[in-house]
Every structure is written in structure tokens, then in C-alpha cells.
């Protein structure tokens, strides 16, 4: 069996093509990409507007979405925002996190993303005890028992993982994987190492559930997670492989420099928060006499597998270090603006050889177009020049750049890659009159009328084809966390 879509116009081989026929096999992998087909064959769904390869969200913290519109009342700083974030993290258990993540991943699909890099650090129970460790049934410290007693969940809700599952190792990671698979978004679960609260400081009480004690503790858990997921979520053909594992260093604040070389031992993507705040740079200079980028370089982890997230406050030397091996930079323009982080030197990084990709981080919005536009808008504001990134470069950042960051078989409409794409209206009040690929600078998530992953329609006209109205998913998510929605 095969699935076919005829696209009025689409982004193929770095240019706009017309009359594009996409054919996918029963695994959701593209088997043919034909151009110049005048009309839709009888066995193909006609897709009007402009089709792009599925957007790749290279940096996400799913539960941060629950803070949207709740942290602006008194202004504050990144550091006060972080305290509010910790309060939400403290509420999560495997059942509630699956409910939250399923809503977030559904919204991502509606916003034009078909793949996500989930930078995940909420590993353990609220008291820091690893899931799977022996715990008496009904123990007061047992968050599962407390959730069962105090939280009402809809009967038959897919988030109702059974108690046995919640008592197994990697319960939070399993919850995220199930949420992604049920929504139909491709995930690279970036298993994050988080050992210290700041340089030379113990984890705080709020951070206890993030940590593994030592670098060996992290490496052992990470290896077991890979083994577990290879059994439960085996990698198959490109179109049907939805769950993958990667590694992440939370930051040089959270992983001592002496431990960083261990990440060079790993295969696959490694991500890190880098120089998001000037305070991080100051702390690094005080402790190590070097910038965070230099600390990473000395540890041997700056290579073409590394994705540096934010990379906002960099020196010229830092830029050269990251550009030399063609590391990937994950810019998160909407979050960086929301938290007043600053505007990173994206153009200079790209010119130095780094690959630019995009992420939504705390999900101020889940809108692949707005995030992409934010990259160019930031560059114009900091430079006083237009056209810092061409429309083609912006599309590449959203698609191929993210695919490289997460090492996923996506990012282009080509044979052998997953049949993942989004379709934009070209006749809306926002996009009417846009010339070809310049629509990347005019469209918004409101113009995404179709999202396909693995050859299957996941969202049509803002409604998830299997999960239903996304607002209803959020209603459940706020309810299970006992937060007013």
C-alpha cells in the first residue's frame, strides 16, 4: 500500500516546485517525489497552498508550556521566572506529564512542527527517588499514590498509565515517549545530565528530581534508557520511527567541567544550554578562567554532533570555536525575547560555519512560522540591516538545520526520508500576495491547514485527527496539575 499527496506547490531541492506528487509506502517513508504533475491523480489527496517539509523544533521543555501567560504580572527576571517554572515541575508525575506533553505535542503539530527535541531533565519522583526504586504502597512520599488519591482523571484517558508502569524505571521518559507517539510527532528525547545547582553548588530541593548524583550515575541511567527504548520503541523505517534518544548537558552550571569529557564517549546528538545569560559567563570565568564555550572545547565535546542552545552572549573567539567544526546552534527567538535574554549573533555564527536551527524552548508560542520570522527580526534589530537571512536560509533553519541537530531522517521532501510536511494557506489575509518562498515571512500557525507525519494526516484545520480539539487536551492538562486553566 502507498499514500499519495499532490501538492499545488512545495519546497523541493531548495526551490519552489509546482505540481508535486509525494508517494509514501506503508511505513510512511517517501518513495517518490515528482514535480510538474498538472493535476492530482485520483488516488492522491490534493493539498492546496504551499507545502514545506515538516518543521523541526530542536529545543523543547514540554511542561514549560503550562507557564504561558502566567509570568508577566510583575515582570521579574529569568531567575525569578525559573522559580515559577520549578513550582510547575514539582507537580509532575508520569501520568500528569503524559497528559501535559500530549497536549503540547498536539499543539506543536498544529503549529507546523513534525519533529521535536525534548530537552528532558525531570527524571525522578518529587523527592528525588528514581522511579523503579522500591517504595511502600501508599507511602506519604509516593507521588503516584498521592496523585491517585487527589487527582481526578477521565476514565479511559490515554494518560492513565497503570500503577505498575509508574513503578518502573524511566517512568517520566516513557510518559514523554508515549505522548509523542500518540500525537504523531517524531521525538528525540534528549536525556539531560543535571548534577549541580550552580558551579560548585549542590542541587537545591527543587532540583533534587533532576539529578543522578554523579556522572557515573547519569551514564548508567542513560545507557539503560537507551537499552530500554530500543526494546519498547525500536527504530524502524524512517517514516515509522517516532522515538529516539539523545544526550544533553544541561549547562556548565549543572555539570562540572571535570565531567564534561564523558560526553565525548557518547554517539549521536549532544545538546547543551550555552551562554543564555551573562551571569553564566561571569560564573564560568570566575570558576574556570574561560567562557562556557571554551570550557566545552577544552573538554572535547565541541564537534559536529554538538548543538548549542541559545548561544546568546558569545565572544568572537567563541563564535570561531563553534563554527570551526560546524556545530549546530539552536536559536529560540520567542523565548529569548520573552525572558529578555538578548539576541544572539546568528549571522556571525552561520558565517563562521555553524548550522542554524530553531527551537520553541518554553513555548511562549508554538508557531513554527513566528519562530522562524523571529530569527530574521532579531538580526534586523541588532544590525540595522534587512535580509540578514534569505527566505531560503530561514526555511533551511526550520527544516534541515533542525534535522541535523536531532539527527532525524526528516527536513526535506526527498526519497528515503519520512513523509513529514505542513501545508500553508496562500490565500489568507496574512499570506495573500506573498511571492513563493517569501511566505515564510508572512504566514503564521493560523495558516497551517494540514500537518502530516509518517504519511498520516495528524492535524487538519487546527484539529488533531485522533485526539480532537487541542484546547480540550489542555483543559485536562491544567486539571491534572490542579492549575486554573
Amino acid at each position: 500500500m502507498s499514500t499519495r499527496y499532490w501538492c499545488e506547490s512545495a519546497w523541493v531541492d531548495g526551490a519552489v516546485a509546482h505540481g508535486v506528487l509525494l508517494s509514501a509506502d506503508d511505513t510512511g517513508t517517501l518513495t517518490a517525489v515528482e514535480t510538474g504533475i498538472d493535476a492530482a491523480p485520483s488516488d492522491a489527496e490534493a493539498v492546496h497552498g504551499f507545502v514545506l517539509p515538516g518543521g523541526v523544533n530542536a529545543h523543547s521543555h514540554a511542561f514549560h508550556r503550562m507557564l504561558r501567560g502566567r509570568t508577566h504580572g510583575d515582570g521579574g527576571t529569568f531567575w525569578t521566572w525559573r522559580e515559577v517554572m520549578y513550582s510547575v515541575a514539582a507537580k509532575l508525575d508520569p501520568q500528569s506529564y503524559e497528559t501535559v506533553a500530549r497536549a503540547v505535542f498536539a499543539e506543536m503539530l498544529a503549529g507546523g512542527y513534525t519533529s521535536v527535541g525534548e530537552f528532558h531533565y525531570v527524571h525522578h519522583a518529587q523527592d528525588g527517588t528514581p522511579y523503579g526504586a522500591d517504595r511502600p504502597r501508599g507511602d506519604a512520599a509516593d507521588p503516584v499514590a498521592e496523585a491517585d488519591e487527589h487527582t481526578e482523571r477521565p476514565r479511559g484517558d490515554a494518560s492513565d498509565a497503570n500503577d505498575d508502569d509508574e513503578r518502573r524505571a524511566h517512568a517520566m521518559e516513557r510518559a514523554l515517549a508515549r505522548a509523542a507517539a500518540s500525537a504523531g510527532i517524531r521525538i528525540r528525547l534528549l536525556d539531560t545530565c543535571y548534577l549541580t545547582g550552580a558551579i560548585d553548588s549542590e542541587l537545591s530541593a527543587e532540583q533534587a528530581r533532576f539529578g543522578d548524583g554523579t556522572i557515573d550515575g547519569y551514564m548508567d541511567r542513560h545507557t539503560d534508557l537507551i537499552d530500554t527504548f530500543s526494546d519498547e520503541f525500536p527504530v524502524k523505517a524512517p517514516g515509522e520511527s517516532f522515538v529516539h534518544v539523545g544526550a544533553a548537558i544541561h549547562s556548565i552550571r549543572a555539570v562540572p567541567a571535570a565531567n564534561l569529557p564523558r560526553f565525548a564517549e557518547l554517539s549521536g546528538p549532544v545538546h547543551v544550554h550555552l551562554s543564555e545569560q551573562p551571569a553564566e559567563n561571569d560564573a564560568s570565568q570566575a570558576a574556570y578562567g574561560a567562557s562556557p564555550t571554551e570550557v566545552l572545547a577544552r573538554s572535547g565535546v565541541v564537534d559536529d554532533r554538538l548543538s548549542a542552545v541559545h548561544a546568546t552572549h558569545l565572544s568572537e573567539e567563541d563564535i570561531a570555536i563553534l563554527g570551526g567544526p560546524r556545530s549546530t546552534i539552536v536559536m529560540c527567538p520567542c523565548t529569548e525575547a520573552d525572558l529578555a535574554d538578548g539576541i544572539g549573533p546568528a549571522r556571525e555564527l552561520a558565517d563562521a560555519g555553524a548550522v542554524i536551527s530553531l527551537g520553541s524552548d518554553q513555548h511562549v508560542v508554538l508557531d513554527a512560522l513566528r519562530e522562524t520570522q523571529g530569527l530574521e527580526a532579531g538580526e534586523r534589530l541588532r544590525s540595522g540591516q534587512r535580509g540578514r537571512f534569505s527566505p531560503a536560509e530561514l526555511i533551511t533553519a526550520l527544516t534541515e538545520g533542525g534535522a541535523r541537530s536531532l539527527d532525524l531522517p526528516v527536513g526535506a521532501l526527498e526519497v528515503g526520508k519520512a513523509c513529514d510536511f505542513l501545508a500553508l494557506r496562500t490565500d489568507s489575509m496574512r499570506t495573500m500576495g506573498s511571492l513563493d518562498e517569501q511566505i515564510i515571512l508572512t504566514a503564521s500557525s493560523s495558516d497551517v491547514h494540514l500537518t502530516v507525519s509518517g504519511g498520516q494526516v495528524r492535524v487538519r484545520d487546527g484539529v488533531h485527527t485522533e485526539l480532537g480539539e487541542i484546547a480540550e487536551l489542555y483543559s485536562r492538562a491544567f486539571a491534572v496539575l490542579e492549575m486554573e486553566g
Side-chain angles (χ1 to χ4, degrees):
M1 291 181 60
S2 65
T3 301
R4 303 218 288 175
Y5 297 94
W6 178 84
C7 309
E8 195 171 41
S9 63
W11 187 253
V12 179
D13 294 331
V16 177
H18 298 280
V20 178
L21 183 62
L22 304 176
S23 299
D25 62 21
D26 58 3
T27 72
T29 304
L30 285 167
T31 56
V33 178
E34 304 169 72
T35 61
I37 308 300
D38 292 336
S42 59
D43 64 343
E45 176 174 348
V47 181
H48 297 287
F50 181 50
V51 166
L52 286 169
V56 181
N57 185 348
H59 188 69
S60 162
H61 303 288
F63 75 91
H64 289 193
R65 163 61 181 87
M66 307 306 283
L67 277 68
R68 185 188 295 172
R70 306 171 77 95
T71 63
H72 304 280
D74 57 358
T77 66
F78 167 86
W79 305 101
T80 57
W81 171 90
R82 190 176 71 157
E83 295 306 312
V84 181
M85 180 269 289
Y86 285 160
S87 71
V88 176
K91 296 175 179 286
L92 297 171
D93 62 33
Q95 290 181 339
S96 62
Y97 205 6
E98 185 173 352
T99 301
V100 168
R102 191 171 55 254
V104 175
F105 294 152
E107 188 187 2
M108 279 187 199
L109 288 159
Y113 298 110
T114 57
S115 299
V116 60
E118 182 61 26
F119 199 104
H120 168 66
Y121 53 82
V122 188
H123 302 301
H124 308 303
Q126 283 93 331
D127 63 356
T129 302
Y131 286 103
D134 290 338
R135 190 193 297 274
R137 179 69 175 158
D139 180 25
D142 185 347
V144 177
E146 292 180 4
D148 288 345
E149 182 179 352
H150 297 296
T151 304
E152 293 184 6
R153 294 184 177 85
R155 279 282 186 192
D157 186 355
S159 67
D160 268 336
N162 63 46
D163 291 343
D164 288 340
D165 181 69
E166 294 208 5
R167 282 169 163 67
R168 297 165 65 195
H170 314 301
M172 295 293 271
E173 291 75 15
R174 284 187 168 100
L176 285 167
R178 287 194 302 266
S182 66
I185 196 167
R186 220 168 292 283
I187 187 172
R188 174 72 71 175
L189 197 151
L190 297 162
D191 182 38
T192 303
C193 184
Y194 203 132
L195 301 177
T196 57
I199 297 174
D200 295 326
S201 297
E202 298 292 324
L203 294 175
S204 67
E206 299 96 329
Q207 298 165 328
R209 66 187 310 194
F210 307 162
D212 293 300
T214 65
I215 189 64
D216 287 334
Y218 167 80
M219 289 292 177
D220 289 346
R221 187 184 55 74
H222 181 71
T223 299
D224 189 65
L225 175 64
I226 292 172
D227 291 343
T228 298
F229 272 32
S230 67
D231 291 335
E232 296 187 9
F233 305 98
V235 175
K236 303 176 183 177
E240 61 184 351
S241 293
F242 279 86
V243 178
H244 306 256
V245 178
I249 301 159
H250 180 273
S251 58
I252 66 148
R253 292 181 287 108
V255 180
N259 296 156
L260 294 174
R262 297 292 299 277
F263 289 87
E265 303 170 7
L266 302 177
S267 60
V270 176
H271 285 223
V272 59
H273 289 131
L274 184 69
S275 293
E276 182 178 4
Q277 293 287 323
E280 178 184 321
N281 288 359
D282 294 343
S284 180
Q285 288 288 348
Y288 302 123
S291 71
T293 301
E294 291 169 330
V295 172
L296 290 173
R298 292 174 185 176
S299 302
V301 296
V302 179
D303 58 21
D304 61 358
R305 298 180 304 119
L306 183 73
S307 287
V309 181
H310 303 304
T312 306
H313 303 281
L314 301 182
S315 67
E316 290 184 4
E317 185 175 1
D318 293 336
I319 292 169
I321 289 171
L322 293 165
R326 302 200 74 232
S327 297
T328 301
I329 308 299
V330 187
M331 311 297 289
C332 305
C334 292
T335 285
E336 289 148 8
D338 179 74
L339 296 179
D341 288 341
I343 301 170
R347 185 68 261 174
E348 289 88 340
L349 283 159
D351 289 344
V355 175
I356 305 300
S357 65
L358 292 162
S360 65
D361 196 0
Q362 61 147 327
H363 319 310
V364 178
V365 294
L366 277 169
D367 184 329
L369 288 306
R370 182 170 160 186
E371 211 72 65
T372 307
Q373 292 153 14
L375 174 62
E376 172 64 10
E379 279 294 309
R380 293 184 184 190
L381 288 170
R382 63 181 283 269
S383 70
Q385 299 174 347
R386 300 182 83 228
R388 297 281 284 177
F389 286 93
S390 69
E393 288 178 305
L394 294 173
I395 292 171
T396 298
L398 176 62
T399 57
E400 294 178 64
R404 183 180 188 272
S405 173
L406 300 181
D407 189 24
L408 294 176
V410 299
L413 299 176
E414 63 181 52
V415 172
K417 293 196 173 180
C419 182
D420 292 9
F421 66 84
L422 65 111
L424 297 172
R425 291 181 178 86
T426 55
D427 59 355
S428 76
M429 60 185 177
R430 291 165 295 278
T431 60
M432 180 73 75
S434 299
L435 296 176
D436 293 331
E437 69 269 23
Q438 293 185 48
I439 194 172
I440 196 71
L441 287 162
T442 61
S444 77
S445 60
S446 297
D447 298 304
V448 178
H449 70 89
L450 191 74
T451 308
V452 171
S453 69
Q456 297 183 40
V457 176
R458 306 296 179 174
V459 176
R460 192 186 296 274
D461 295 326
V463 178
H464 197 285
T465 55
E466 293 186 7
L467 302 177
E469 293 286 348
I470 297 169
E472 288 298 316
L473 300 178
Y474 275 120
S475 179
R476 297 180 192 176
F478 280 99
V480 298
L481 293 184
E482 298 181 326
M483 296 172 66
E484 183 180 348

